[in-house]
Amino acid sequence: MKHKITSPFDFFLTNRSFLALSLAAVMSLSINAEDNLTAFDPMDVFDLEWGSDPRVSPDGKTIVYVRRSNDIMKDRERSNLWQVSSNGDDHRPLYSGLKSARTPRWAPDGKKLAFVSNDSGSQQIHVRWFDNGETALISQLLESPSNLSWSPDGKWLAFTMNVKASSESIAKPRTQPKGASWAKKAITVTTTQYQYDGQGIVEPAYRHVFVIPADGGSARQLTEGNFNHYGSLAWSQDSNRIFFSAYRSEDWELVSDEADIYSVALSTKEIKQITTQPGAERSPVISPNGKLIAFSQEDRRPLAYTPDHLAIMDINGKNIRLLTEDLDGDANNVIWTNDSKSLYFAYDERGVRKIGQVTIKGKFNEVIKGLGGTTIGRPYLSGGFHAINNTIAFTYGLPNRPANIAVVNEGQAKVLTALNEDLLEHKKLGLVNEIVYNSSFDGQEIQGWYITPPDFDPSKKYPLILEIHGGPHLAYGPYFSAEMQIMAAAGYIVFYDNYRGSLSYGEDFALLLQYKYSSSEDFADHMSGIDAMIDLGFVDDENLFIAGGSAGGIATAYAVGLTDRFNAAVAAKPVINWLSKPLTADSMVGQIYHQFPGPPWEHLEHYWKRSPLSLMGNVTTPTMLLTGEDDRRTPISETEQFYQALRLRGVDSAMVRLPDTSHGIAGRPSRLISKVDHILAWFERYRTDKNKTN
């Protein structure tokens, strides 16, 4: 077993320029050790701010970004637009108020900025002129627009938007008498994909490509048919064609890893298919010289994880070649350099998000590491960047701070914002430390982290919470987490790991859970980590607790069927019975095809073995379940099955149901706070240490 404690600033050193950035971070984001500091309080969640979606102006001198915060009165996240010079000066609001704004996109000449805002009451496209500071509403759309993209000549804005399709009733509705009060009309469902988490049962609708004049006017739909046209939009150099990705086949509802790149003519609406190979080609990006298309390429195969490679081809779709075939993971967020000779992209490695650069001949180098800090609740890998010429702006995350905006300009690095110093500079936060150990199952190396409570004393013993991430094909990292800081402030060591199946450790590691989730194998990864933590000498082995959400909730429910070492458990939005879940959730098609060897009626024993319910006869651990009543990803019927089984078994248990809440149970600030409050209150019931606080 290996173990080390790592400075919060050591994760982000890539080269000499980032040494300067890290030192600047130490100076401006230092951990103040004065005795009068207070611990992070759950209500502090409402005071957090973080940056996202930075966009560099065409001249590289100004960065516009989305500044996010939580509105305590409306209990919603708010997003406004701010700007800052690339040298760090002139940091000020650009479009700020009680409403929200998102998706800032510079016009090619840098004189205007398009964005989406609900300032008029619904999500609409706005344009701001920088010469006079005026902003105009330029659209009157019926649905929310996405994927804004300027034409190279600056005359048009392309976007995608849902268009409702007609649906017919099976039976002709009867006419009710005037003044009568009849029951609501029956809802007829005839599509395969009829439900989406956060939306519920939806009327048939398909996402199409539109354009609107950049100075305002009527939006015009360019694509037709009962198909979805998702993802980023790219323009031809002459502003006459728009490139997009879609799977325009009659069986599209039953296939989750097939897509091709198309183009549509602005004047005639003529659609051309650019790629035809098996698999998914998505997110086209046209080179500045107009000769090449970069895109994301994913093979079609029945596996739970398939990496997204970066590929390029000629503008006509010929001469396809992969550029990141040797990269053991995903390549995303692709941006061309100005000379059309190389591309920037984001990738993840050992719990850290990075920016890489690859030439069109396939030569790769790492440019920046330390992107993150845009998922406030838990420390998931996150963050993005934008680049113009030699200026790269990105979200810079730290273990003790949410995302700030940073920039690398001509090789010089600088943190431009300090969004939380008014709050977190006066808080005593838990320290994030790395731990690396080997799994007892097969010796596989596992990377994890643990957060120590404020005023941590290694000579004392502390209760430990194992917190398991979702996915399972996602990853945690050494980033700020409001939820875990609250747990640490309550006196717990908070341990989290990137168990087998997690991303950022390569394809082989991600596929170690193929057809094995949940299993004794990922369980061994977690328990070995707990043993490694106990070996450090400051964990109370008689006060161990376990919690997790979604895939982490499944792992939690599975674990209490395999061990009684935990004093108590909280399984948030879990899957309990794999025989019922896939055919009741919105993820049916992709899950059955990728995570299982076939449908449940053909592999009954396999589905049952993966189900925590199959281990119900072993469970003695006090268990609380916590799920949104509107969850359609892991429906609350799963929670109800486990809860009723626990009651029949006589196990201490509770079911916390969150009204008007879907799978993202921490999506509203008060829900995040309530989630952690319930977890800590449940664990406090079963703590046995002498220093327990009531």
Side-chain angles (χ1 to χ4, degrees):
M1 182 194 75
K2 295 184 292 182
H3 166 250
K4 60 181 179 180
I5 294 179
T6 312
S7 162
F9 310 108
D10 289 346
F11 299 107
F12 313 102
L13 306 182
T14 297
N15 49 39
R16 291 184 177 179
S17 68
F18 252 76
L19 177 59
L21 174 58
S22 185
L23 291 174
V26 172
M27 294 295 293
S28 64
L29 305 180
S30 61
I31 302 175
N32 195 323
E34 295 180 8
D35 293 336
N36 61 353
L37 299 186
T38 58
F40 188 80
D41 185 84
M43 292 300 289
D44 290 335
V45 167
F46 283 107
D47 293 324
L48 291 172
E49 295 185 274
W50 61 102
S52 67
D53 199 10
R55 310 298 295 191
V56 183
S57 62
D59 62 7
K61 295 181 179 180
T62 304
I63 297 162
V64 171
Y65 72 96
V66 179
R67 183 165 175 166
R68 300 185 181 276
S69 59
N70 290 320
D71 188 327
I72 194 171
M73 300 306 294
K74 294 184 178 180
D75 191 25
R76 297 283 186 183
E77 181 183 303
R78 181 189 298 165
S79 57
N80 293 150
L81 302 183
W82 282 61
Q83 70 178 43
V84 60
S85 298
S86 57
N87 64 4
D89 296 336
D90 197 27
H91 186 210
R92 56 190 171 92
L94 178 66
Y95 194 78
S96 181
L98 296 178
K99 301 292 185 177
S100 288
R102 59 179 174 86
T103 322
R105 297 295 181 264
W106 289 94
D109 60 8
K111 297 179 179 180
K112 298 186 291 291
L113 185 84
F115 60 93
V116 176
S117 174
N118 63 348
D119 194 57
S120 62
S122 61
Q123 298 288 340
Q124 300 292 338
I125 301 172
H126 296 67
V127 170
R128 183 180 182 88
W129 280 259
F130 282 91
D131 57 355
N132 57 18
E134 292 185 359
T135 300
L137 169 69
I138 69 163
S139 71
Q140 298 182 33
L141 306 176
L142 299 178
E143 300 288 339
S144 178
S146 298
N147 304 304
L148 279 184
S149 179
W150 284 89
S151 62
D153 61 12
K155 295 179 179 180
W156 299 93
L157 281 162
F159 61 95
T160 61
M161 184 176 70
N162 275 350
V163 177
K164 291 183 179 180
S166 60
S167 58
E168 297 183 4
S169 299
I170 301 299
K172 183 178 180 180
R174 299 287 181 175
T175 302
Q176 65 187 51
K178 185 177 181 180
S181 180
W182 286 15
K184 291 182 179 180
K185 293 181 180 179
I187 299 173
T188 302
V189 176
T190 58
T191 57
T192 302
Q193 296 187 7
Y194 66 93
Q195 61 171 330
Y196 295 94
D197 184 63
Q199 300 179 54
I201 305 295
V202 297
E203 296 182 29
Y206 304 95
R207 201 154 195 89
H208 286 287
V209 179
F210 288 78
V211 290
I212 191 171
D215 55 0
S218 299
R220 186 160 60 97
Q221 182 176 334
L222 298 183
T223 56
E224 304 287 345
N226 293 342
F227 312 109
N228 285 313
H229 308 79
Y230 282 122
S232 60
L233 303 176
W235 288 82
S236 61
Q237 194 177 37
D238 60 8
S239 299
N240 289 330
R241 300 192 73 87
I242 299 171
F243 293 79
F244 60 90
S245 180
Y247 183 45
R248 294 172 58 88
S249 176
E250 294 300 324
D251 67 344
W252 70 267
E253 286 188 296
L254 295 172
V255 178
S256 61
D257 54 1
E258 187 68 50
D260 293 299
I261 293 174
Y262 294 82
S263 71
V264 59
L266 198 65
S267 56
T268 65
K269 298 185 180 181
E270 173 203 26
I271 291 179
K272 290 183 179 180
Q273 186 169 352
I274 309 299
T275 63
T276 59
Q277 62 194 71
E281 297 84 56
R282 301 187 178 99
S283 305
V285 187
I286 309 300
S287 62
N289 63 15
K291 297 179 180 180
L292 299 170
I293 305 175
F295 60 97
S296 171
Q297 186 273 331
E298 177 188 351
D299 291 336
R300 183 176 183 181
R301 57 184 192 174
L303 297 176
Y305 170 71
T306 300
D308 291 329
H309 291 298
L310 169 57
I312 59 173
M313 60 185 172
D314 298 341
I315 195 71
N316 59 8
K318 296 182 179 181
N319 195 22
I320 294 176
R321 56 266 198 202
L322 297 180
L323 299 184
T324 59
E325 194 169 14
D326 294 334
L327 181 71
D328 198 0
D330 297 316
N332 295 302
N333 192 21
V334 176
I335 298 174
W336 283 95
T337 55
N338 192 53
D339 59 8
S340 299
K341 294 182 179 180
S342 64
L343 306 100
Y344 295 113
F345 63 93
Y347 68 102
D348 300 331
E349 188 173 54
R350 293 191 63 81
V352 174
R353 179 154 295 175
K354 303 180 178 183
I355 299 174
Q357 185 176 12
V358 63
T359 70
I360 58 175
K361 295 183 178 181
K363 183 179 180 181
F364 164 79
N365 69 285
E366 177 184 311
V367 179
I368 295 169
K369 57 183 176 180
L371 279 71
T374 59
T375 58
I376 298 303
R378 290 184 285 166
Y380 281 110
L381 293 188
S382 64
F385 77 98
H386 184 242
I388 292 290
N389 296 336
N390 294 317
T391 302
I392 305 173
F394 61 99
T395 58
Y396 180 49
L398 285 169
N400 66 331
R401 295 294 188 272
N404 278 293
I405 302 301
V407 66
V408 172
N409 193 355
E410 299 291 345
Q412 297 299 313
K414 188 173 186 178
V415 181
L416 303 181
T417 65
L419 301 182
N420 288 283
E421 294 319 287
D422 54 341
L423 171 68
L424 297 181
E425 181 68 15
H426 308 285
K427 294 293 177 179
K428 195 177 301 183
L429 299 177
L431 183 65
V432 179
N433 311 275
E434 182 186 31
I435 183 169
V436 179
Y437 59 92
N438 300 107
S439 174
S440 63
F441 178 76
D442 56 4
Q444 176 67 53
E445 183 182 271
I446 304 295
Q447 183 185 30
W449 294 267
Y450 62 93
I451 305 177
T452 52
D455 298 322
F456 171 68
D457 182 347
S459 68
K460 296 181 179 180
K461 299 282 188 179
Y462 293 85
L464 178 142
I465 296 174
L466 164 63
E467 212 285 338
I468 306 174
H469 73 65
H473 304 291
L474 295 172
Y476 278 158
Y479 297 104
F480 178 84
S481 164
E483 294 184 27
M484 294 184 186
Q485 286 291 343
I486 295 169
M487 293 175 181
Y492 292 86
I493 300 284
V494 187
F495 165 61
Y496 59 97
D497 60 27
N498 280 340
Y499 53 96
R500 66 189 63 215
S502 300
L503 299 187
S504 77
Y505 302 89
E507 183 177 348
D508 291 344
F509 188 87
L511 291 176
L512 288 175
L513 279 187
Q514 185 65 40
Y515 302 150
K516 295 179 182 179
Y517 192 73
S518 282
S519 70
S520 58
E521 298 181 23
D522 54 285
F523 170 75
D525 296 347
H526 301 310
M527 302 310 292
S528 300
I530 290 175
D531 291 337
M533 290 296 302
I534 292 172
D535 288 344
L536 297 179
F538 47 74
V539 170
D540 182 354
D541 61 1
E542 294 184 356
N543 278 281
L544 304 177
F545 301 87
I546 182 172
S550 195
I554 304 169
T556 298
Y558 207 86
V560 296
L562 293 175
T563 185
D564 61 0
R565 287 183 67 184
F566 296 106
N567 297 44
V570 176
K573 49 192 180 183
V575 174
I576 298 303
N577 184 353
W578 281 112
L579 290 167
S580 57
K581 188 271 181 182
L583 298 177
T584 56
D586 67 348
S587 53
M588 172 188 70
V589 172
Q591 197 151 56
I592 289 176
Y593 178 71
H594 292 287
Q595 288 187 304
F596 292 94
W601 54 89
E602 293 179 1
H603 300 272
L604 189 69
E605 183 177 349
H606 177 88
Y607 277 75
W608 183 242
K609 186 177 181 181
R610 301 277 74 79
S611 302
L613 195 59
S614 69
L615 303 173
M616 191 66 237
N618 303 330
V619 179
T620 59
T621 304
T623 301
M624 184 175 78
L625 300 128
L626 194 152
T627 303
E629 291 190 327
D630 295 341
D631 194 326
R632 291 185 176 272
R633 185 64 43 82
T634 55
I636 198 167
S637 57
E638 295 294 308
T639 289
E640 291 168 338
Q641 289 180 66
F642 205 58
Y643 176 70
Q644 295 192 97
L646 288 166
R647 303 309 292 182
L648 287 172
R649 288 266 304 144
V651 177
D652 284 356
S653 52
M655 176 172 57
V656 179
R657 304 169 66 97
L658 303 176
D660 304 318
T661 301
S662 56
H663 193 64
I665 58 176
R668 300 181 69 171
S670 70
R671 284 284 189 240
L672 185 156
I673 295 169
S674 178
K675 171 190 173 184
V676 184
D677 283 349
H678 277 87
I679 291 172
L680 291 176
W682 185 252
F683 290 168
E684 283 296 306
R685 289 188 179 191
Y686 301 98
R687 276 179 63 169
T688 61
D689 54 309
K690 295 179 181 180
N691 296 322
K692 174 179 174 180
T693 57
N694 295 315

